Amino acid sequence: MQSNEKKVPDVVVKRLPRYYRYLRELLNQDIKRISSNALSKMMKVTASQIRQDFNFFGGFGQQGYGYNVEYLLNEIGDILGLNDGETMIIVGAGNLGRALANHNSFAKRGFTLVGIFDNDNRIVGSTINGIRVMSDSEIENYIKENNVDIAILTLPHAAAHEMAQRLAKGGIKGILNFSYSELDLPDDIPIENVHLSDMLMTLSYRVKNQSKTENEE
Amino acid sequence: MQSNEKKVPDVVVKRLPRYYRYLRELLNQDIKRISSNALSKMMKVTASQIRQDFNFFGGFGQQGYGYNVEYLLNEIGDILGLNDGETMIIVGAGNLGRALANHNSFAKRGFTLVGIFDNDNRIVGSTINGIRVMSDSEIENYIKENNVDIAILTLPHAAAHEMAQRLAKGGIKGILNFSYSELDLPDDIPIENVHLSDMLMTLSYRVKNQSKTENEE
DNA sequence: TAGATTGTTAATCGATTAACAATC
DNA sequence: TAGATTGTTAATCGATTAACAATC
């Protein structure tokens, strides 16, 4: 389909979920159509950028009318793979792993949590939010046999590296990495890093430099 | 100090925590000095970018020698405000709030969690990781009286908006926002959004388009 | 048809990379 | 001093914004 088109820049891909969120909100409010201009005001970006972004995927609008909200929402959902029934496992049933297992917003977006893995035998066999906790000794086979798409890695620093290798060996297709370390895997396995303390530090910088930025001009 | 210098671009600020992480690792390995070139290879960025980034803050190196790891680490820590003793509260003691309260990596970076707030009277008065859970009816006053810097907002969508207003009224200086919605606050309060489902969607896109990207060239 | 708004090309802006003189 | 490596200027690249012809 989108064969000989140029690769979509990373910045554009990162903006898609935000469009998705705003469009979903519009749909909830029963708004049927929206122009790039109206959307740009809501989202505080330029209308130009919106049109450019959508046109990386072929353009979903109609001159003189704008964009049909429901249609556009579905298209973006498709692009993001929300309708592909992707499956996930959580690796590490610590505080964060358990919180994410109970976090139902993933399921709402079409991602199905199929298993939770941990090395602590005291919790292996129990269930979290209805999902079975399994021993991580079985993990490579599990991924292979169940064709798991995504692993959410919430293991501590020390264990994360080795586990990432095992996930790769099992054939995982992507990793949402919450561990402090960056994983060193072949480039064909996409990794999205969620470094919470990085974000806190960035925020801290902005808090610290807020007044200065203000007075600037 | 850095008075009439130009504003540091956001992309540069976002890279600082990553430098911090790598430098910390080098220090752990007892490495005293590093050149931009050696660091660039570790971090998979260009040496030029590293030097440019550091020079937004005045340059921390020495010609012919490189950068002193410990010195550079401390300088970046200073820039990020890690030595300012910033205080935080967590607002919302649900799964995610509790997980973050138990997450000690924040404390390791110099951020002190001073309180947790919730509206559920069954847990108000209990402690999580040694921190008292308070009723969120007191929150504006608490922020004011204790001069709280940062709020970590883990409330569900519906409640997050109103709470953000109250945090602002109390004089919060920055918000790390985990709620699905984007907050609509005056520009002088920095907000860092952690939209977990956005990241999962971006990852999903990359997984879906991996093979295509591969075959490209 | 006239008005509105897209899709798309062209212009601008900013960020990244390259190059090299300064200097430890 | 010679070699190494920074700090910084200049060149390139890519992303954003502006403009407008196409078209619903």
Side-chain angles (χ1 to χ4, degrees), chain B residues 104-165:
Chain B
N104 292 313
S105 80
F106 293 158
K108 274 190 214 142
R109 295 287 160 269
F111 299 91
T112 308
L113 181 63
V114 294
I116 301 170
F117 290 85
D118 204 278
N119 67 356
D120 184 343
N121 285 321
R122 287 168 301 180
I123 59 170
V124 167
S126 66
T127 67
I128 300 174
N129 201 17
I131 312 293
R132 205 159 72 90
V133 179
M134 292 170 267
S135 163
D136 63 19
S137 60
E138 327 162 7
I139 201 163
E140 292 98 326
N141 283 338
Y142 185 91
I143 294 169
K144 237 172 242 148
E145 280 164 23
N146 297 275
N147 199 25
V148 177
D149 296 303
I150 290 171
I152 299 181
L153 184 58
T154 60
L155 248 33
H157 184 49
H161 237 267
E162 193 210 323
M163 179 53 79
Q165 302 299 329

Side-chain angles (χ1 to χ4, degrees), chain A residues 2-3 5-8 10 13-14 16-18 20-22 24-25 44 57 78-82 84 86 88 95-96 98-100 102-103 105-106 109 111 149-152 157 173-176 178 180-182 184 187-210 212-214 216, chain B residues 2-3 5-8 10 13-14 16-18 20-22 24-25 44 57 78-82 84 86 88 95-96 98-100 102-103 105-106 109 111 149-152 157 173-176 178 180-182 184 187-210 212-214 216:
Chain A
Q2 25 166 256
S3 48
E5 316 214 341
K6 49 179 162 294
K7 187 183 181 293
V8 181
D10 217 63
V13 174
K14 288 230 177 75
L16 292 180
R18 186 155 185 263
Y20 189 86
R21 256 188 290 120
Y22 276 85
R24 174 165 278 272
E25 182 58 27
K44 292 177 185 163
F57 304 96
D78 269 351
I79 292 167
L80 290 170
L82 308 191
D84 297 358
E86 294 197 6
M88 311 183 302
N95 290 304
L96 191 55
R98 288 200 304 277
L100 294 173
N102 283 298
H103 204 258
S105 81
F106 293 158
R109 294 289 160 272
F111 299 91
D149 297 303
I150 290 171
I152 300 181
H157 184 50
K173 303 201 189 82
I175 298 178
L176 189 63
F178 283 82
Y180 184 70
S181 49
E182 287 179 34
D184 190 27
D187 286 345
D188 63 340
I189 300 180
I191 297 168
E192 198 76 30
N193 288 305
V194 187
H195 290 311
L196 296 175
S197 49
D198 281 20
M199 294 191 193
L200 189 58
M201 289 189 246
T202 306
L203 178 62
S204 166
Y205 175 89
R206 290 172 62 203
V207 165
K208 197 180 159 88
N209 295 80
Q210 179 51 38
K212 200 182 303 157
T213 313
E214 286 298 83
E216 204 84 333
Chain B
Q2 23 166 256
S3 47
E5 316 215 339
K6 50 179 162 291
K7 185 182 183 294
V8 182
D10 216 63
V13 174
K14 288 229 176 77
L16 293 178
R18 185 154 186 263
Y20 190 86
R21 257 187 290 122
Y22 276 85
R24 175 165 277 271
E25 182 58 27
K44 292 178 184 162
F57 305 96
D78 269 351
I79 292 167
L80 290 170
L82 308 191
D84 297 358
E86 295 197 5
M88 310 184 303
N95 289 305
L96 191 56
R98 288 200 305 277
L100 294 173
N102 282 298
H103 204 257
S105 80
F106 293 158
R109 295 287 160 269
F111 299 91
D149 296 303
I150 290 171
I152 299 181
H157 184 49
K173 302 201 191 81
I175 298 176
L176 190 62
F178 284 82
Y180 183 71
S181 49
E182 286 179 36
D184 189 28
D187 286 345
D188 63 341
I189 300 179
I191 297 167
E192 199 76 31
N193 289 304
V194 188
H195 290 310
L196 297 176
S197 47
D198 281 21
M199 294 191 192
L200 189 58
M201 289 190 245
T202 306
L203 178 62
S204 167
Y205 175 88
R206 291 172 62 203
V207 165
K208 195 180 159 90
N209 295 80
Q210 179 50 37
K212 200 180 305 159
T213 313
E214 287 296 84
E216 205 82 336

